[in-house]
């Protein structure tokens, strides 16, 4: 069985993002970029399933500008077998939407015929949390979102999901789409020998047009602004003072 | 310039407009909204009442709102009665009564949503950003070939929305320019439900025609179980007071002390990702970018450093109290009241000095 993993290049999670003065977006020039953390977990899960003998090949895919190849190299260095790069140059006022990405991934899934597609549950830039669900809907495959545990058993996947009320367990017929939550696994670091090896692995380049996918965007970014700042608070010296302030100043006790 | 256009086009000022392009967009168009609601124990959940409040923000005077409920058994019908008088804008309650909808599986639910949308031709579809809404809405949107808007926190026009991006470190205003329906999930903390309705207005309850259901609708996925912590505490997402522990709590045992404080305050207990990862408490207590978003009257953080991802989940709280022995912890930058001290000593003292909640 083949596993397709989708990955996205985003502003590194440790970077403090700044809104651009012209309000068209956040500053991404000369900012450290990395693989979206949820996508790292997705790659790791695919590799573990392959290493456990449940899968034979892991194919990583991304949609993005030429620099996104770095993200695919990271996936390859972690251990993915090969990669597909769908080239697309972003337009900040008309961002590529999850629906377009899902349509591209559907086209790839129909070419590659995987038994499982694994994606991060959300990207930490746009925080959309949509692509996996949309891909599953377009393919008419079942979905296991926000997964914290995945067990493959022949034709079925048992998925534990982190939901508002606790941990939900569902059973899915394969092929299926799974999106990863934080506690699914701890992604590995790429070792130097594997980084060297990854350089000779194949990245196939295609365009949305090659895949015959319409990537129209039905969303216009009007503006991006800073969130309102909270007023600076005060440091109190005692619990008595805290209780007094909460009662008489904030009136929340 | 963009901000000016937004200002000029605000609802109710249909005659304004800086250019012919924006004037065309400001022409009033009929609004009808489908609210996808959840229910529990015979009542519509508070998060879904917030979705109704969002429907009101889209259109108040000329907005026909249908509220969709699914499931089976007496709880569903009791919830439908609750829904019928839950908001003056609700003109119809749609009930999908089938075991297929008894559990929140996205596959049959997305087909339900597609079918209801095809029949009703709504201009807007709203769900709350709960794990149910987040799982279902994008799948249904893909079936309808439209792009939904995630986590709306403010509605400036029927098709112009504000949503947080980058864990709330930036706010993005977007205009939806696609076909109907305009679908969105809303942050329930940003839309306060309207107070209980007069008994006079009761919307009719209609059964949804389920003939669209096929073998394939329910065959590919199956619900197995839900493991949850039994707790007497109020629901984290809606509690008026939340007390949260971070890595500084050091153990699951110490969280019990936090429980005692929660007991006194009638509060819900929350936790940081670090505390959940360390196994102190289960995942459903996590507050943050990828956990629950809370905005209580009072948020008390003990041993919480204040990582960006955590702040994303609580920065809209009304009053924030932080207790941490590290004076440089970023949590103090958002706290209204801070105490730099050993959290266990502060907890002990609070337990002694706070009166019991009646």
């Amino acid at each position: 069985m083949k596993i397709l993993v989708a990955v996205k290049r985003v502003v590194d999670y440790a970077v403090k993002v700044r809104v651009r003065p012209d309000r068209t977006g956040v500053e991404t020039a000369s900012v450290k970029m990395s693989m979206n953390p949820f996508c790292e977990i997705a790659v790791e899960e695919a590799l573990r399933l392959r290493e456990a003998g449940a899968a034979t090949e892991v194919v990583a895919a991304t949609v993005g500008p030429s620099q996104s190849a770095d993200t695919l190299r990271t996936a390859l260095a972690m251990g993915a077998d090969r990669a597909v790069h769908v080239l697309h140059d972003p337009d900040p006022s008309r961002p590529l939407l999850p629906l377009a990405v899902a349509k591209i991934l559907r086209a790839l899934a129909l070419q590659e015929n995987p038994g499982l597609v694994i994606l991060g549950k959300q990207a930490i830039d746009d925080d959309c949390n949509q692509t996996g669900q949309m891909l599953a809907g377009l393919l008419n495959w079942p979905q296991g979102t926000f997964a914290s545990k995945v067990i493959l058993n022949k034709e079925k996947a048992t998925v534990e999901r982190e939901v508002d009320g606790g941990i939900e367990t569902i059973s899915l017929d394969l092929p299926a789409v799974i999106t990863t939550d934080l506690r699914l696994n701890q992604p590995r670091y790429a070792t130097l020998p594997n980084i060297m090896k990854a350089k000779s692995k194949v990245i196939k380049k295609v365009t949305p047009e090659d895949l015959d996918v319409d990537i129209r965007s039905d969303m216009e970014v009007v503006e991006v602004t800073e969130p309102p700042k909270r007023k600076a608070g005060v440091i109190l010296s005692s619990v008595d003072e805290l209780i007094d302030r909460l009662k008489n100043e904030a009136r929340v006790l | 310039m963009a901000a000016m256009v937004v200002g000029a086009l605000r609802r109710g000022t249909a005659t304004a407009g800086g250019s012919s392009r924006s004037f065309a967009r400001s022409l009033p168009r009929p609004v009808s909204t489908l609210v996808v609601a959840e229910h529990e124990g015979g009542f519509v959940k508070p998060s879904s009442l917030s979705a109704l409040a969002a429907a009101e923000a889209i259109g108040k005077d000329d907005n026909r709102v249908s509220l969709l409920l699914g499931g089976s058994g007496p709880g569903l019908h009791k919830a439908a009665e609750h829904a019928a008088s839950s908001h003056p804008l609700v003109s119809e309650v749609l009930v999908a009564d089938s075991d297929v909808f008894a559990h929140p599986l996205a596959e049959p639910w997305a087909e339900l949503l597609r079918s209801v949308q095809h029949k009703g031709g709504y201009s807007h579809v709203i769900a709350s950003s709960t794990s149910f809404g987040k799982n279902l809405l994008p799948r249904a949107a893909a079936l309808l070939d439209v792009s939904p808007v995630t986590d709306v926190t403010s509605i400036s026009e029927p098709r112009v929305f504000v949503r947080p991006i980058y864990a709330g470190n930036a706010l993005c205003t977007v205009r939806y320019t696609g076909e109907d329906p305009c679908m969105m999930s809303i942050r329930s903390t940003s839309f306060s439900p309207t107070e209980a309705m007069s008994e006079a207005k009761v919307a009719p309850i209609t059964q949804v025609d389920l003939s669209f259901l096929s073998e394939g609708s329910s065959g590919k996925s199956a619900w197995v179980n839900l493991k949850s912590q039994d707790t007497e505490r109020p629901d984290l997402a809606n509690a008026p007071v939340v007390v949260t522990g971070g890595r500084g709590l050091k153990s699951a045992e110490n969280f019990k002390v936090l429980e005692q404080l929660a007991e006194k305050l009638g509060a819900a207990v929350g936790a940081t990702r670090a505390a959940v990862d360390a196994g102190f408490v289960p995942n459903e207590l996590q507050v943050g970018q990828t956990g629950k978003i809370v905005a209580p009257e009072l948020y008390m953080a003990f041993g919480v450093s204040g990582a960006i991802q955590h702040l994303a989940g609580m920065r809209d709280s009304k009053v924030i109290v932080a207790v941490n022995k590290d004076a440089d912890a970023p949590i103090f930058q958002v706290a209204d009241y801070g105490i730099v001290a050993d959290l266990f000593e502060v907890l002990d003292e609070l337990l002694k000095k706070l009166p019991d909640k009646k």
Side-chain angles (χ1 to χ4, degrees):
Chain A
M1 186 183 83
K2 199 189 283 183
I3 299 179
L4 179 64
V5 184
V7 296
K8 184 177 184 184
R9 177 176 179 267
V10 299
V11 172
D12 188 84
Y13 76 99
V15 169
K16 172 103 181 73
V17 299
R18 282 177 212 293
V19 172
R20 273 201 294 258
D22 64 4
R23 296 185 160 195
T24 57
V26 305
E27 201 53 73
T28 51
S30 64
V31 163
K32 188 186 177 201
M33 306 291 282
S34 303
M35 187 190 292
N36 177 42
F38 290 98
C39 301
E40 287 185 330
I41 297 171
V43 174
E44 177 66 34
E45 194 63 17
L47 296 176
R48 289 187 189 189
L49 288 168
R50 189 191 63 194
E51 286 158 5
T56 49
E57 191 185 27
V58 174
V59 181
T62 197
V63 186
S66 55
Q67 299 93 315
S68 296
D70 298 348
T71 309
L72 288 176
R73 287 284 168 214
T74 305
L76 293 170
M78 286 173 76
D81 298 289
R82 59 190 172 84
V84 184
H85 185 173
V86 183
L87 285 156
H88 173 263
D89 279 316
D91 168 1
S93 64
R94 281 273 177 185
L96 189 69
L97 296 178
L99 181 60
V101 177
K103 286 177 178 177
I104 288 170
L105 293 174
R106 172 182 57 177
L108 292 180
L110 293 177
Q111 281 181 1
E112 297 281 351
N113 230 351
L116 201 59
V117 182
I118 310 181
L119 308 87
K121 77 165 181 180
Q122 74 191 68
I124 60 165
D125 50 5
D126 60 24
D127 283 330
C128 274
N129 193 338
Q130 296 177 356
T131 309
Q133 295 90 311
M134 293 185 137
L135 174 62
L138 294 173
L139 288 166
N140 196 24
W141 291 2
Q143 68 190 49
T145 54
F146 328 145
S148 61
K149 193 172 180 185
V150 176
I151 299 167
L152 289 191
N153 185 0
K154 295 192 183 102
E155 301 300 304
K156 284 191 189 291
T158 302
V159 180
E160 291 189 3
R161 310 177 56 230
E162 297 203 357
V163 297
D164 292 340
I167 299 278
E168 181 187 73
T169 306
I170 56 173
S171 168
L172 310 173
D173 289 354
L174 297 181
V177 174
I178 286 172
T179 75
T180 62
D181 216 318
L182 288 168
R183 281 170 281 275
L184 181 58
N185 61 50
Q186 191 75 46
R188 69 195 64 186
Y189 290 104
T191 59
L192 189 59
N194 285 341
I195 293 171
M196 300 311 288
K197 240 199 284 184
K199 291 188 176 168
S200 60
K201 290 182 183 174
V202 178
I203 297 180
K204 188 173 126 189
K205 286 188 161 68
V206 295
T207 63
E209 295 73 43
D210 295 338
L211 298 169
D212 200 19
V213 175
D214 169 21
I215 55 164
R216 83 192 138 85
S217 172
D218 287 335
M219 214 79 76
E220 212 176 271
V221 172
V222 177
E223 62 169 354
V224 174
T225 56
E226 296 263 0
K229 290 249 186 308
R230 288 189 74 96
K231 275 185 225 121
V234 289
I235 297 292
L236 308 175
S237 54
S238 73
V239 170
D240 289 326
E241 198 182 344
L242 174 65
I243 293 174
D244 176 64
R245 294 275 194 130
L246 290 179
K247 261 190 191 142
N248 302 316
E249 189 176 76
R251 297 177 187 276
V252 287
L253 280 188
Chain B
M1 172 59 202
M4 282 170 56
V5 173
V6 174
L9 293 184
R10 220 171 279 283
R11 202 156 31 83
T13 57
T15 50
S19 66
S20 58
R21 186 160 152 263
S22 58
F23 179 74
R25 279 180 179 162
S26 74
L27 285 175
R29 48 203 287 182
V31 176
S32 58
T33 308
L34 177 68
V35 171
V36 187
E38 296 169 73
H39 61 98
E40 189 174 38
F43 290 96
V44 177
K45 285 191 182 179
S47 56
S48 299
L49 297 177
S50 292
L52 278 174
E56 186 177 342
I58 285 169
K60 205 169 186 168
D61 307 322
D62 195 16
N63 186 2
R64 285 177 55 81
V65 177
S66 299
L67 188 142
L68 174 66
L69 286 170
S72 61
L76 172 68
H77 297 286
K78 192 158 171 269
E81 283 165 27
H82 175 217
S85 58
S86 58
H87 195 286
L89 282 182
V90 175
S91 65
E92 181 184 31
V93 177
L94 301 170
V95 174
D97 187 352
S98 164
D99 289 342
V100 175
F101 307 115
H103 298 298
L105 288 168
E107 296 77 14
W109 270 94
E111 289 190 22
L112 170 65
L113 214 53
R114 171 169 60 183
S115 172
V116 169
Q117 171 62 28
H118 279 160
K119 284 215 176 72
Y122 302 96
S123 66
H124 291 73
V125 177
I126 309 179
S128 188
S129 286
T130 57
S131 51
F132 170 79
K134 288 190 275 198
N135 190 39
L136 165 64
L137 205 71
R139 185 179 179 108
L143 299 185
L144 293 163
D145 197 26
V146 297
S147 284
V149 189
T150 299
D151 275 345
V152 168
T153 54
S154 166
I155 296 169
S156 355
E157 284 179 49
R159 280 159 193 269
V160 179
F161 313 102
V162 180
R163 58 179 302 264
I165 54 174
Y166 290 92
N169 285 297
L171 298 177
C172 185
T173 305
V174 293
R175 180 193 307 278
Y176 179 71
T177 58
E179 302 285 318
D180 284 353
C182 171
M183 298 179 80
M184 74 188 87
S185 66
I186 59 105
R187 282 259 173 105
S188 55
T189 50
S190 302
F191 297 92
S192 308
T194 325
E195 289 303 307
M197 290 309 112
S198 62
E199 296 290 318
K201 169 119 204 264
V202 179
I205 298 172
T206 313
Q207 300 290 321
V208 176
D209 173 12
L210 299 179
S211 56
F212 67 87
L213 282 174
S214 64
E215 193 83 356
S217 314
S218 54
K220 288 181 172 180
S221 61
W223 189 85
V224 180
N225 63 38
L226 174 68
K227 273 179 260 165
S228 59
Q229 291 273 6
D230 271 336
T231 174
E232 301 292 301
R233 304 257 63 80
D235 180 32
L236 179 56
N238 304 302
V241 182
V242 174
V243 294
T244 288
R247 204 198 303 266
L249 260 275
K250 293 201 181 91
S251 72
E253 200 56 35
N254 288 336
F255 256 87
K256 301 223 164 76
V257 187
L258 211 60
E259 279 279 342
Q260 289 173 31
L261 179 65
E263 180 74 31
K264 280 211 155 192
L265 294 167
V269 173
T272 63
R273 177 188 168 187
V276 176
D277 282 355
F280 301 165
V281 286
N283 65 283
E284 62 261 36
L285 298 193
Q286 183 173 322
V287 172
Q289 181 182 20
T290 71
K292 292 206 168 76
I293 310 290
V294 302
E297 294 288 304
L298 173 60
Y299 188 90
M300 302 182 81
F302 293 89
V304 173
S305 64
I308 292 172
Q309 291 77 7
H310 181 73
L311 301 184
M314 46 67 81
R315 65 191 311 153
D316 292 331
S317 304
K318 205 167 149 207
V319 176
I320 297 174
V321 173
V323 180
N324 199 310
K325 64 182 173 201
D326 175 9
D328 296 326
I331 188 80
F332 288 119
Q333 289 163 22
V334 300
D336 300 283
Y337 304 113
I339 296 185
V340 181
D342 180 273
L343 71 94
F344 297 106
E345 287 169 18
V346 174
L347 269 178
D348 277 347
E349 212 178 325
L350 278 170
L351 284 172
K352 282 195 195 100
K353 289 178 174 168
L354 281 175
D356 284 319
K357 192 96 179 172
K358 271 151 231 142

